[in-house]
Amino acid sequence: MSDPGLENPARSALFTDLYELTMAAAYHAEGMAALAVFELFFRELPDNRNYVVAAGLEDVLDYLEHWRFTEEDITYLAAQMPMPAGFADALRRLRFAGDVHAVPEGTVVFENEPLVQVIAPIIQGQIVETSVLNQIHFQSVIATKAARVISAAAGRQVVDFGSRRAHGTDAALKVARASYLAGAAGTSNVLAGKRYGIRIFGTMAHSYIQAHDDEAEAFEAFARLNPRTTLLVDTADTLAAVRKIVERRRKLGDKFDIGAIRLDSGDLGQLAKESRALLDEAGMRDVRIFASGGLDEYDIAALIDGGAPIDGFGVGTKLAISADAPSLDMAYKLVEYAGEPRTKLSAGKVICPGRKQVFRVCAGECMERDVIGRYDEDVPGRPLLEPVMTGGKRLPAARVPLEAARSHCQAQVALLPEPLRALKRAEEAYLVSFSDALKRDLARVTQSPRPEQ
């Protein structure tokens, strides 16, 4: 029988760092099995970001629901690390039986705010760290990048074109999902379309035109098979290709039915203006102009500011790898064990002890400030962390359709103060503070420090 972990690595219990397992073995040997609280958060925003869009929770919950060690896993581990008495049997029986609280996917979050809380026996909470971080980190990075691209497009269509240069097949699928969550119209990736129910886009590459002896005949043949299609016009001479399209329309009328042209190189702004003029003069005002070719949010904003009559954008590499901010300083830390608050006092990495909640205060239709407090505090504002899993079982309310998460994300971005939606770093950061009670907890633990967690 094949190993399910090899068929779907994202569900394998071995998708973890070795030190998670060596710590788990030590906990087992010492009889440490009390309830622990781990929190996932990021310490600082990248220099060119004003917010982060939380994403990846769906995959985390799926992973935890299916989390288990197979016999093949245990045999492999026994050859790789010391296995204290009874540990192999403990791994055989191990299932995630904890609780999870999280902010809904698509929620806008800020520095030091818990995005996910895992409340479980310490061995369980420890081993799942790597996968939880992996899923939340990458998808939040991409969703944030996509939200910026979509903001820059100012209502124009944005499509994910990044699969071919994404960092692996799993990353390409997650880029498609995270981009759609943030508001993209769809993706070029067919498997992502099938898996997530996302609209798929795509017509032709330069190779199709190159394979024909005559560009105009290639256009005609393709349009005959694909009514309302998009034709790529920059294989040779962009404006000459647009003129060929105009001539074919004059010759064939409605039998040559195209929906758009795509510009993929050159001075996109100038070419869009000249192409629009040619199309409009020919009465082809319904033909849209779509642009691609190494674009990101800065390029799109510049094109729109320059008056380019572009109706939609395909965004690839710079979205798929979040080129200008490819990572977050994200961490997953123990904040409570056996009912006692725990902290970390490393320089520059101090964490507030104890389980927390984030309370958001809005003024009308605008976010005003967040307060990070104890999870059971009575603090003004709406609590962001919600229960999504109890006893290892996902709650019905946590089964959120992607379309609903997408709508939530768009509503969240709309609530941001206008300077925070800008592409450059805002002069005044969003206000996030710690409650007085949480500050007292930190002071109390700091005065009698425990060993680092």
Side-chain angles (χ1 to χ4, degrees), residues 52-99:
V52 163
V53 173
L57 179 62
E58 174 67 23
D59 287 306
V60 167
L61 298 179
D62 179 77
Y63 170 76
L64 295 177
E65 285 183 311
H66 294 89
W67 185 71
R68 62 201 59 202
F69 288 89
T70 66
E71 283 300 322
E72 291 86 353
D73 294 341
I74 294 167
T75 299
Y76 173 75
L77 289 176
Q80 304 299 320
M81 58 177 281
M83 300 279 276
F87 187 55
D89 284 338
L91 290 180
R92 284 187 187 92
R93 297 189 301 270
L94 204 56
R95 302 290 185 271
F96 184 77
D99 300 343

Side-chain angles (χ1 to χ4, degrees), residues 372-394:
I372 305 172
R374 291 176 179 168
Y375 80 98
D376 56 356
E377 265 194 278
D378 184 13
V379 175
R382 183 174 65 84
L384 299 186
L385 290 157
E386 301 175 355
V388 293
M389 180 173 275
T390 300
K393 303 295 183 184
R394 193 188 318 204

Side-chain angles (χ1 to χ4, degrees), residues 157 161 203-204 219 228-234 237-246 249 256-264 268 270-280 284-292 309-314:
Q157 189 178 66
F161 274 14
T203 56
M204 63 165 60
F219 288 154
R228 302 303 297 164
T229 192
T230 298
L231 298 178
L232 181 60
V233 294
D234 74 326
D237 182 313
T238 297
L239 296 178
V242 175
R243 291 187 182 97
K244 290 174 185 177
I245 289 171
V246 167
R249 171 63 71 85
F256 186 66
D257 182 21
I258 68 167
I261 62 170
R262 177 159 72 95
L263 311 174
D264 192 53
L268 297 177
Q270 185 60 33
L271 288 170
K273 291 174 182 177
E274 294 185 44
S275 297
R276 184 75 271 160
L278 289 170
L279 293 168
D280 288 354
M284 300 173 70
R285 297 179 185 277
D286 62 324
V287 175
R288 301 167 70 243
I289 296 177
F290 193 85
S292 56
I310 297 173
D311 304 292
F313 300 92

Side-chain angles (χ1 to χ4, degrees), residues 156-325:
R156 295 161 182 82
Q157 189 178 66
V158 173
V159 178
D160 156 45
F161 274 14
S163 293
R164 63 186 59 196
R165 295 199 183 103
H167 292 169
T169 52
D170 182 66
L173 295 173
K174 300 301 168 57
V175 166
R177 183 184 186 277
S179 300
Y180 188 75
L181 170 72
T187 179
S188 64
N189 189 295
V190 179
L191 179 57
K194 179 184 177 184
R195 178 172 294 186
Y196 302 121
I198 298 172
R199 184 182 173 190
I200 53 175
F201 291 78
T203 56
M204 63 165 60
H206 297 101
S207 54
Y208 181 82
I209 304 298
Q210 292 173 272
H212 290 74
D213 294 330
D214 184 275
E215 186 177 43
E217 290 180 3
F219 288 154
E220 183 178 337
F222 198 83
R224 188 182 308 121
L225 185 63
N226 301 279
R228 302 303 297 164
T229 192
T230 298
L231 298 178
L232 181 60
V233 294
D234 74 326
T235 304
D237 182 313
T238 297
L239 296 178
V242 175
R243 291 187 182 97
K244 290 174 185 177
I245 289 171
V246 167
E247 177 59 31
R248 271 304 193 267
R249 171 63 71 85
R250 286 174 178 156
K251 176 182 177 182
L252 300 173
D254 291 342
K255 293 181 180 179
F256 186 66
D257 182 21
I258 68 167
I261 62 170
R262 177 159 72 95
L263 311 174
D264 192 53
S265 60
D267 184 338
L268 297 177
Q270 185 60 33
L271 288 170
K273 291 174 182 177
E274 294 185 44
S275 297
R276 184 75 271 160
L278 289 170
L279 293 168
D280 288 354
E281 185 180 346
M284 300 173 70
R285 297 179 185 277
D286 62 324
V287 175
R288 301 167 70 243
I289 296 177
F290 193 85
S292 56
L295 299 175
D296 62 12
E297 64 266 46
Y298 305 103
D299 300 317
I300 290 171
L303 285 166
I304 291 173
D305 288 347
I310 297 173
D311 304 292
F313 300 92
V315 186
T317 304
K318 292 177 182 177
L319 168 62
I321 64 172
S322 188
D324 64 329

Side-chain angles (χ1 to χ4, degrees), residues 353-366:
R355 184 178 159 196
K356 302 171 195 69
Q357 178 58 275
V358 181
F359 301 90
R360 176 156 294 165
V361 177
C362 292
E365 296 298 313
C366 186

Side-chain angles (χ1 to χ4, degrees), residues 20 23 27 32 34-41 43 116-126 129 331-345 349-356 445 450-453:
E20 313 287 15
M23 284 188 286
Y27 293 144
M32 295 176 66
L35 208 62
V37 179
F38 291 89
E39 291 182 341
L40 181 147
F41 61 97
R43 296 184 180 94
V116 178
Q117 283 175 343
V118 174
I119 307 160
I122 192 166
I123 288 177
Q124 298 175 29
Q126 190 73 70
E129 172 183 0
Y332 176 99
K333 294 298 178 184
L334 179 71
V335 296
E336 185 175 303
Y337 178 65
E340 292 293 327
R342 307 295 166 116
T343 190
K344 175 178 178 177
L345 300 175
K349 295 185 176 182
V350 174
I351 58 175
C352 281
R355 184 178 159 196
K356 302 171 195 69
V445 174
R450 294 178 182 271
E452 278 190 19
Q453 305 300 321

